[in-house]
Amino acid sequence: MPSSPQHPAPAPGQSPDADAEDFALYREKFRSRLPPSLQQLRGPAHGVVDLPLHMAWSGMTSYDLGKPRRRMGLYRTVLHEGLRDDLPRCLTQDLLLELWPVLRTLVGRTVRTVWEDAFPRLASRTRAAA
């Protein structure tokens, strides 16, 4: 698998077992942030969302939900960088379900897999959109 932010390159001389352990830890990082249910995602559906620095450390901090590209960028950023308490505050179930068929192609494989495994409804949205 090529190196990327979602799949860091192994350290030189690292064994395949260490790679598997790193990958498992990476998956667990995202799994531990998941809300218990999609219904708990009760963030804003309109207006402007300002992200704190721990999520918006590499760029944009303010997202207008009325602009489709900005809305998609917000969801991508929150899924990758948000902590457990950030997800319900920044995301809303209805928008996540609406955006998922495209959003799933913009997030890393690990994020996509963790969310679809935890919430089969997301995976079914993808099949319905196909």
Side-chain angles (χ1 to χ4, degrees), residues 7 10 29 80 82 97:
H7 302 288
K29 172 181 118 172
H80 276 277
L97 290 169

Side-chain angles (χ1 to χ4, degrees), residues 2-55:
S3 177
S4 72
Q6 289 81 29
H7 302 288
Q14 192 171 357
S15 73
D17 290 339
D19 289 346
E21 185 177 321
D22 286 350
F23 186 69
L25 288 171
Y26 191 67
R27 282 178 63 99
E28 187 52 37
K29 172 181 118 172
F30 290 107
R31 192 176 297 121
S32 69
R33 297 175 180 182
L34 292 173
S37 72
L38 291 178
Q39 290 79 14
Q40 292 201 346
L41 301 177
R42 296 187 183 137
H46 304 90
V48 175
V49 176
D50 294 311
L51 294 181
L53 188 58
H54 72 270
M55 279 193 284

Side-chain angles (χ1 to χ4, degrees), residues 34-113:
L34 292 173
S37 72
L38 291 178
Q39 290 79 14
Q40 292 201 346
L41 301 177
R42 296 187 183 137
H46 304 90
V48 175
V49 176
D50 294 311
L51 294 181
L53 188 58
H54 72 270
M55 279 193 284
W57 55 268
S58 68
M60 205 166 174
T61 60
S62 200
Y63 295 84
D64 182 346
L65 293 174
K67 297 180 177 179
R69 289 183 69 143
R70 299 289 187 238
R71 185 172 51 232
M72 193 71 73
L74 169 74
Y75 273 64
R76 182 176 184 268
T77 299
V78 173
L79 289 174
H80 276 277
E81 306 297 337
L83 303 176
R84 187 176 184 92
D85 292 341
D86 295 322
L87 299 173
R89 191 175 71 245
C90 296
L91 306 178
T92 184
Q93 173 184 293
D94 292 343
L95 278 178
L96 180 64
L97 290 169
E98 175 187 326
L99 297 174
W100 191 254
V102 173
L103 182 61
R104 72 183 302 277
T105 68
L106 302 175
V107 298
R109 182 183 329 149
T110 303
V111 171
R112 178 176 57 244
T113 302

